[in-house]
Every structure is written in C-alpha cells, then in structure tokens.
Amino acid sequence: MNADQNPDSEQTASLLVEIGTEELPPTALKRLSEAFADQLSTQLTEQRIGHGNLERFAAPRRLAVIIQDVQVRQPDQETLRRGPALAAAFDAQGQPSKAALGFARSCGVEVDALDREQTDKGEWLCFRQQATGERTLTLLPALVEAALGRLPIPRRMRWGDGDAEFVRPVHWVCGLLGAEPVPGRVLGLDIGTGSRGHRFHHPDRVQIPRPEAYAEALRAASVEPSLELRRQAIREQVLQLAASVHGHADLPDDLLDEVAALCEWPTALLGRFDADFLQVPAEVLIETMQKNQKYFPVFDDTGALMPWFITIANIRSRDPDLVRAGNERVIRPRFADARFFWEQDRKTPLADRRDALGSVVFQHKLGSLLDKSRRVAGLSRHIAGLLDYDQDEAERAAELAKCDLVTAMVGEFASLQGTMGRYYAQHDGERPGVVAAMEEQYLPRHAGDRLPTSDAGRTLALADKLDTLVGIFAIGQRPTGVKDPYGLRRAAIGVLRILIETPLALDLKDLLWQAAFGYRGVVEAEDAVTQVFDYMMERLPGYYGDMGVAAEVVDAVLSLGPQVPSDIDRRILAVAAFRQLEAAEALSAANKRIRNILKKSGDGIAADIDTTVRPEGLQEEAERRLAQGVEQMRARLAPMHAAQDYEGMLRTLAGLREDVDQFFDQVMVMTDDAELRRNRLALLRSLEQLFLLTADISRLH
C-alpha cells in the first residue's frame, strides 16, 4: 500500500463527504450547503483535528464538501486530574488518607502512581494520563452525523422503515480521506466511495478514486457540482440568447440562485409568446414568467418587454425544439388568464370597489380594510395639510389605495398589489398624483428600496404605516424576537426613511397621536403612542450603524428627546462629524465633568432655569475668559440654531476647548464661598446648555 492509499503514512489528506438525496428545496440549497461545510469544519475543530480550506458543492440531489489538509489522526493529549491537597492526602505518619485512596481508586491506579503538582496555593496530588489520538477515519461517521443534525432544517422527514431524518430522503453517502474509504454508516446508509451522475444522462454510479477527482468525475457524468459555476453558466447562456434577438435579460439574483439550484446540467432555451399579450401590463407577464415558470424575460434597449423568454432545461435534449414548444405551450394559458383578468377588472372603477373592502378583515380587533381606509384617509389629509400638499388629492389616494385588493388580478398575483392599483387608477382617469400613490403607498418595501416621490404617495405611505403601527401596538401584538407577522419593523424603518431621507420636517410623535385619534371608539390607542415612538427610536442605531455611525452618537442625540426625525438626522450627522475633530475628545470629557459637578453640587443648579452669570462675581482670569467666550458663542450660535446648522454649531463650539481646559486647570468650582460656587456652577451650566442645543456630547466615549 502506497502513501496515497494509507492516510496514516502522511500527516494530512483531503476529505470528501457527499450526501446524495432526492431533490433538495431549491430556495434553501445555498443555505444548506454553507451550513453543512461550516458545521463539518466545526466538528473537526471540536475534535482537535486540524484542517485547511473548504470547497462547497451543491446540486439538486447532493450536498458535498471537500476539505484540504485534514489531519489523519487526532493529536495525542495529556489529561491532568487534580486530587486533594498534599496536606489532606497523608496523615502525620505519611499514610494515605481516605481522600487520597478514593482519588487513586477513581483514577484506576495505586496512590504510589500519583504525581504531585506544585501551585501558588500549595502542593496537590494529581494524575497525569496520556491519551492517544484516534484516527480521523474512525471519528468521521459520527462527525458527519453531528454536522447534518445541526443544519437549519425547520422540518425533517423520515423515509422507509428507519429512524434517520433529513430534509429529503438520502440515497447514498460518499466519504474519502485521501484514497481511503471512510468506514461506517451515516443516516442509516453504508458510506461508499461512489456518487451518481445526471438522473437521465448518466444514471449509473460514478466511482470517485480520491477527493481531488470528485468535480471532474461528476462533470464527465453530466453534473456540474458547483452551485456557483452553474449559476455563472446560466447567466452567460441567458445573456447570449437574449442578445441573439437584440435584447437583454432580467437576471434577479434570487431567481438566478433558484434556477441554479433546480438543475444539474443547465441548458438555456429561447422561447416566444404571442406579441398580443404585450397589451397586458408588463409586470403581470414578468410575474408569471419569473415566479410561476422560472423564466427569464427579455427586454429591448428602451426597457420594454419583448415577446421572448428564456427557460433553463436540466437536460441536453436531442430535440430542443420540442422542449421549447412545450414551454411555449405552458405559458400561453397563463398569459390568457392574465389578459382575461386585465380586461374584466377594468370594467369596474376602483372607486366602485371600495365598499367591498368592508368584507375584508384587516385585523379582527381593528376592523375591516374599509375601516382602515377611512382612518388612513383622515390621517393622509392631516399630513398633507402639515406639508402644504393638496389635501383633497391625498385623501382621494387613501380612499382608493386598497381597492385593487379585491380585483381578480391581485387575487391571482398578490405581489402586484399597488402596481395594479396604479394601472386601474390611470384607466379610471384619476389625477396623476393619485395614480402614482397607488403603488408608492408600499414604498420602501425593503432595505435600500426607493422612496415615494409624489406628494400623495408620501402622505399615503406614511399614513398607512403609522395606522398599522399604532393599531397593532394598541392590541398588544408588538414584534417579539423574530416574529413580526404585520411587518412592523419594516413599517417603522419605512416611516423613518421617508421622514429623514426626503426629508420632511414632521413631528413623529404628533403623527402617532393623530393616528391614535383615528382609533377612537375601536381600541384605546393613546397608550400605544409612546410605545411606538420608543420602538421606532430603537431602530435608529441600526439604521445609522449601516452608515458607519456609532451607536453612542445616536444616543447623544436621542438622550435630548427630539421628536422630528429629519432634525434628529441633522444632529446625528453633525455629532458624527464633530467626533472626528481634534477637540472632540477633550470637550466630551469636559462635558462629562460638568455633568458630574452639577449633579453633585447640591445647589439645585442642574435643574435651575436661571443660569445667569454675574460678571462681578468672576474672580479668576480663566473664568472671566470662559464666561466671555460663552456669551460670544451664544450670539454666534443663535442664527445657526435657527437654520439647524448643527455641524456648524459644534465646530464653532470646538473653539472653546482652550478656554475650557484652562478653566478646569486654574479654577476651583466647588469653593467654600457659596455665592462664588453658585456663580461658577451657573457658568458651567450655561456652557453645557450651548452643547445641549445639538446633543449631549458627554455621552461620547
């Protein structure tokens, strides 16, 4: 047997583990593959088995990992058990005590075989034992089982008459360490050295001589085992076919991932549909192609949908035209249904559908969608008034906002709510602002999504989300842990983003109060206002954290209790910029010192409204200079504060650093002279108030 055949003759070898299954869930394949590799690596590490880089493989019928430089044996390990202290181990005559005898017995040796260990706390009896490391081959079956048991699988299934459980039935397990087969069983199956090829092109077993040959052996059997390479191949084929008809394809990442997880040997085919179907809104056709059929739509240079689609087959057909025709035949009735819904829905104006919302429950304690529509209409009108928008347009948009939910098209394609409302409102001759608001009410749908741009769209998006937040909090169903069935986290971030990024100078707590008033006679919503406000403020550290702004900066602003998110944003960005100044650390420390002095003063100055400093009471040059600087700053800061130029204010205040440093170096604040002490405390309080016009910078680390 040569070195390749006997891993014990080398210190390390490559490891291959493949789990062959029935078709795995495509949307979970990537996550399962990553988790399997991570868990197997973790298991090796926990068993003190060193290893190198990992390479993941995943296809519809397999999860596999190749790990380089795996130690073929655990390192030997010395174990040390400490027994009783030497003073308690022997009596005055040197005879072993019961404690010593019991310890030796538990170690399986005589007392004479025990060692002694000297520590800082004295000398102890101990037992040293050398444990020889086990062969990795022996340990691997249990490690693989443990790794599979820790995969993120919400619901496992059983098959046959065994007790094994996995996300799908397992049909084979392949394991090799170098060229040596892994002995044992995993999930009730004997571990072998073979895999299986393409279900149709190469259904026979594929022998794997060593881990390094795995990928090429499967490719020879019409299986591309790399999920990433299949994804890349699909992308290239789709782009090439789209270009062949002078178009370009839409390749959303989630669809590309899913299609790559559905096939082992992808082959792209170009199909065509009747151009008459293009009279139906493109979003409907795209939804049908992408979500139902996993097709890639094709667009022209203007972005208009073309009567072509690209499908990915999992076989190399001898008659690709037959496969193409089959896909064209499948899509035709789906498009015909969509056209029927489109034509039928437009026969009834959106406004005439509003009463039907009364039979659709929004939330059983909060009423129907018609009830919500009325509340949101009132709140939209209020918000529009605050912003000097067209109140009638805002109210009209809110009244029609949910009407497309009772159309046939949205009943079939729920994800098109709002989009179809826009088309139907346009068909009904509604004003452009109302038309735009039908779709913009749901913005932003996710992180990084665009914001509403129309006046009616902004007011409607705010009103709808605020109504939901207040109502759901009022009935005690705020999000807990990962559970958020009403999407309140998304709604909260959506409101904040609209107010901050548009920006809109609106008082958030006032908006929440207005939303609560809409629930009068339904639920007691007033108590929820503060809860919702605090919940939304708790989202801000994460929001700004994504921009690289430290949580302490956000805390420095929120500690003042501001309620206008657009103003909060200006303050946070100003403090973040101030934090980069050379004077920031010293001034933050000075503010902490001021805060502590005022708290401990016992003069009530911290809460005293009157912070007037008596010039005649200033004795030291350093305090006179600081008092003069504070007065000058107050005059300079007033116009900046009116303009909400918080960054300019903090940069200006940074000019006080030298005066502040000299004050604390040369002036005794807590002097025995009560009047002098009170005057100096008033000076510190007046200085602190200048900073508090923007934030409490004493909270900066």
Side-chain angles (χ1 to χ4, degrees):
M1 181 178 288
N2 59 35
D4 281 342
Q5 294 172 319
N6 180 12
D8 280 358
S9 67
E10 299 287 342
Q11 293 183 339
T12 64
S14 297
L15 170 66
L16 165 67
V17 178
E18 183 193 52
I19 309 298
T21 71
E22 292 184 11
E23 276 70 12
L24 293 162
T27 56
L29 184 62
K30 184 178 180 181
R31 185 174 71 253
L32 289 172
S33 174
E34 292 171 349
F36 182 41
D38 291 345
Q39 289 297 334
L40 190 53
S41 172
T42 299
Q43 291 297 320
L44 290 171
T45 301
E46 289 179 355
Q47 292 297 321
R48 299 177 290 109
I49 300 172
H51 60 275
N53 295 330
L54 292 83
E55 187 175 6
R56 300 188 299 267
F57 299 93
R61 297 195 300 150
R62 71 199 73 228
L63 293 173
V65 182
I66 292 178
I67 306 180
Q68 305 293 333
D69 302 322
V70 177
Q71 290 182 331
V72 298
R73 182 181 291 277
Q74 284 179 317
D76 295 342
Q77 185 179 32
E78 182 183 79
T79 59
L80 175 68
R81 289 183 58 191
R82 181 184 291 177
L86 205 63
F90 299 95
D91 61 20
Q93 289 73 41
Q95 296 300 311
S97 66
K98 289 183 178 180
L101 292 170
F103 177 64
R105 191 164 47 251
S106 69
C107 296
V109 297
E110 298 296 328
V111 173
D112 292 343
L114 297 175
D115 291 329
R116 300 185 182 188
E117 182 187 26
Q118 184 68 46
T119 71
D120 294 340
K121 296 183 179 180
E123 195 171 5
W124 308 75
L125 281 182
C126 67
F127 177 66
R128 288 186 172 86
Q129 186 175 33
Q130 192 75 13
T132 302
E134 292 193 52
R135 295 182 72 204
T136 301
L137 279 171
T138 304
L139 298 171
L140 277 171
L143 301 189
V144 173
E145 285 265 16
L148 293 172
R150 294 184 181 180
L151 297 191
I153 302 171
R155 182 174 299 177
R156 296 172 182 259
M157 62 184 299
R158 292 184 180 181
W159 58 94
D161 56 2
D163 294 328
E165 294 182 341
F166 198 53
V167 62
R168 291 291 186 270
V170 176
H171 292 296
W172 76 90
V173 179
C174 175
L176 287 165
L177 184 61
E180 187 80 1
V182 177
R185 293 169 65 83
V186 167
L187 295 178
L189 295 174
D190 291 331
I191 303 172
T193 58
S195 182
R196 298 185 189 177
H198 192 283
R199 187 183 289 277
F200 303 110
H201 293 314
H202 196 293
D204 300 331
R205 293 183 64 81
V206 177
Q207 196 63 28
I208 311 296
R210 61 189 186 280
E212 291 79 5
Y214 173 74
E216 289 308 317
L218 283 181
R219 287 170 188 142
S222 298
V223 173
E224 173 49 69
S226 168
L227 180 61
E228 185 55 39
L229 289 181
R230 288 200 311 281
R231 190 182 192 275
Q232 182 179 333
I234 291 169
R235 180 182 181 84
E236 291 173 355
Q237 292 181 46
V238 169
L239 291 175
Q240 185 176 4
L241 283 179
S244 71
V245 291
H246 308 290
H248 66 271
D250 182 25
L251 292 155
D253 287 340
D254 55 350
L255 179 59
L256 201 52
D257 288 341
E258 186 175 1
V259 173
L262 283 167
C263 59
E264 294 180 318
W265 198 251
T267 302
L269 294 169
L270 182 67
R272 186 179 179 90
F273 59 85
D274 190 338
D276 287 345
F277 286 124
L278 293 175
Q279 298 173 13
V280 178
E283 292 89 344
V284 177
L285 304 181
I286 293 168
E287 179 80 2
T288 298
M289 286 188 276
Q290 291 183 339
K291 296 296 176 62
N292 298 119
Q293 301 303 124
K294 314 306 175 189
Y295 294 165
F296 295 95
V298 180
F299 302 85
D300 65 19
D301 291 338
T302 68
L305 185 65
M306 298 175 71
W308 300 96
F309 65 87
I310 299 170
T311 184
I312 305 299
N314 191 28
I315 58 172
R316 296 187 309 274
S317 175
R318 287 189 291 268
D319 190 355
D321 288 338
L322 188 63
V323 179
R324 181 182 298 107
N327 280 275
E328 291 174 346
R329 191 164 53 249
V330 168
I331 200 69
R332 192 176 300 118
R334 289 188 175 274
F335 281 179
D337 287 345
R339 181 166 58 188
F340 174 77
F341 296 148
W342 169 243
E343 292 171 350
Q344 291 299 115
D345 283 344
R346 288 183 299 167
K347 293 178 181 179
T348 304
L350 280 180
D352 291 351
R353 296 180 183 275
R354 191 164 184 241
D355 288 343
L357 296 177
S359 61
V360 182
V361 175
F362 164 57
Q363 204 285 335
H364 71 279
K365 291 183 179 180
L366 302 178
S368 67
L369 279 180
L370 181 59
D371 297 323
K372 180 178 177 63
S373 173
R374 290 168 177 156
R375 290 193 302 269
V376 172
L379 185 54
S380 293
R381 188 174 189 88
H382 172 78
I383 295 173
L386 294 175
L387 296 170
D388 200 24
Y389 290 169
D390 187 320
Q391 291 180 284
D392 291 337
E393 183 176 84
E395 186 174 18
R396 177 67 172 177
E399 290 172 346
L400 301 180
K402 304 302 179 186
C403 293
D404 68 339
L405 297 180
V406 291
T407 62
M409 187 74 84
V410 175
E412 181 70 18
F413 303 101
S415 63
L416 294 180
Q417 59 184 346
T419 299
M420 296 314 303
R422 170 170 58 84
Y423 278 108
Y424 295 144
Q426 187 175 38
H427 176 267
D428 296 344
E430 297 290 344
R431 295 166 61 179
V434 173
V435 172
M438 296 299 96
E439 190 164 30
E440 291 185 336
Q441 64 180 301
Y442 297 105
L443 299 180
R445 294 183 179 87
H446 51 78
D449 194 16
R450 63 190 179 94
L451 299 180
T453 56
S454 69
D455 292 352
R458 290 186 187 122
T459 57
L460 179 55
L462 288 171
D464 186 40
K465 293 172 177 61
L466 290 167
D467 176 82
T468 298
L469 282 161
V470 170
I472 300 302
F473 266 75
I475 59 174
Q477 294 194 25
R478 63 174 294 162
T480 56
V482 297
K483 295 182 179 179
D484 186 14
Y486 295 98
L488 300 187
R489 292 186 184 91
R490 185 172 65 250
I493 289 293
V495 169
L496 290 170
R497 283 195 59 201
I498 293 170
L499 295 177
I500 290 171
E501 296 174 25
T502 303
L504 301 175
L506 296 174
D507 186 312
L508 178 57
K509 187 163 277 191
D510 173 71
L511 296 181
L512 293 170
W513 277 114
Q514 290 298 322
F517 293 157
Y519 279 101
R520 283 176 294 187
V522 180
V523 292
E524 293 294 330
E526 286 79 3
D527 292 342
V529 169
T530 300
Q531 296 177 40
V532 176
F533 181 83
D534 292 344
Y535 175 80
M536 296 179 74
M537 292 299 102
E538 290 166 6
R539 313 271 76 75
L540 287 177
Y543 172 77
Y544 284 101
D546 291 340
M547 305 177 194
V549 178
E552 67 192 52
V553 173
V554 180
D555 177 58
V557 172
L558 296 185
S559 65
L560 302 185
Q563 299 181 176
V564 179
S566 60
D567 182 64
I568 292 172
D569 178 65
R570 291 190 186 92
R571 292 170 185 262
I572 288 174
L573 297 182
V575 176
F578 168 76
R579 200 161 171 259
Q580 306 304 314
L581 300 179
E582 183 180 349
E585 185 176 354
L587 288 171
S588 175
N591 271 265
K592 287 182 184 136
R593 188 171 179 180
I594 292 170
R595 178 63 55 87
N596 291 332
I597 290 173
L598 293 175
K599 283 181 179 178
K600 296 175 182 178
S601 67
D603 288 279
I605 192 72
D608 200 333
I609 297 175
D610 182 10
T611 57
T612 303
V613 178
R614 295 184 300 103
E616 65 274 14
L618 300 172
Q619 295 185 355
E620 305 288 343
E621 176 61 25
E623 63 181 322
R624 285 195 292 270
R625 189 161 49 249
L626 179 59
Q628 183 180 9
V630 168
E631 285 304 310
Q632 291 174 347
M633 284 292 175
R634 185 176 288 115
R636 292 176 62 187
L637 295 180
M640 295 183 188
H641 188 254
Q644 296 182 321
D645 180 11
Y646 300 113
E647 183 174 350
M649 291 172 66
L650 289 176
R651 287 186 180 276
T652 301
L653 284 167
L656 286 175
R657 175 188 175 178
E658 185 176 346
D659 290 343
V660 172
D661 288 345
Q662 290 185 5
F663 176 86
F664 280 118
D665 287 343
Q666 301 174 20
V667 177
M668 170 69 71
V669 177
M670 302 306 290
T671 178
D672 291 336
D673 186 325
E675 285 304 315
L676 185 57
R677 180 175 67 248
R678 186 170 183 82
N679 204 46
R680 289 172 177 172
L681 288 170
L683 174 58
L684 292 181
R685 177 59 170 160
S686 63
L687 171 61
E688 180 192 47
Q689 285 187 333
L690 293 182
F691 282 94
L692 290 177
L693 291 172
T694 299
D696 181 0
I697 68 166
S698 70
R699 293 176 177 260
L700 300 181
H701 299 160

